[in-house]
Amino acid sequence: GRVFRTKGECEKALDRELTEVRLRKTSTFKPDFENGEGGWVVGYDYDDNSLIAIPVDNADYGEIVRYATEEDALKSIKENRADWLKYLGIKEEE
């Protein structure tokens, strides 16, 4: 059900998905954000041109959506609060 503009785009997307499946198989860690045990994430440091591991305490980022500025991110939080809570699987207490 997905559409790509070129065969190359399709092949690149498939390769990335297969890579993600392989990487997910390397860990069985289940985070416990409420107790500050978010684990670590892998990122890329462009200054050092290297992969790095970064701790994640109690901040659940889900599948990360990035913004250019802090103001843009805060605006999205303000305008889309309910969607963000749903996206991150957070149920508000009644």
Side-chain angles (χ1 to χ4, degrees):
R2 296 183 1 203
V3 177
F4 299 94
R5 290 178 284 205
T6 66
K7 181 180 178 183
E9 268 186 12
C10 180
E11 290 170 346
K12 186 176 180 181
L14 175 61
D15 185 48
R16 185 173 189 283
E17 288 176 18
L18 293 173
T19 300
E20 181 180 353
V21 168
R22 288 192 302 271
L23 290 171
R24 288 191 183 276
K25 287 182 177 181
T26 67
S27 175
T28 58
F29 177 76
K30 302 289 184 210
D32 182 3
F33 297 109
E34 292 177 3
N35 291 308
E37 297 173 11
W40 294 69
V41 295
V42 174
Y44 188 78
D45 184 327
Y46 283 89
D47 288 336
D48 293 333
N49 295 319
S50 63
L51 291 169
I52 56 173
I54 302 168
V56 180
D57 299 330
N58 57 355
D60 185 353
Y61 298 105
E63 295 296 323
I64 297 174
V65 177
R66 298 178 189 271
Y67 293 95
T69 66
E70 181 180 21
E71 290 80 16
D72 290 343
L74 292 173
K75 179 180 177 185
S76 180
I77 290 169
K78 181 179 178 182
E79 294 177 357
N80 305 291
R81 184 175 186 277
D83 283 342
W84 274 111
L85 292 173
K86 184 185 295 184
Y87 177 74
L88 294 171
I90 307 299
K91 295 184 182 186
E92 291 187 284
E93 294 182 20
E94 295 180 25

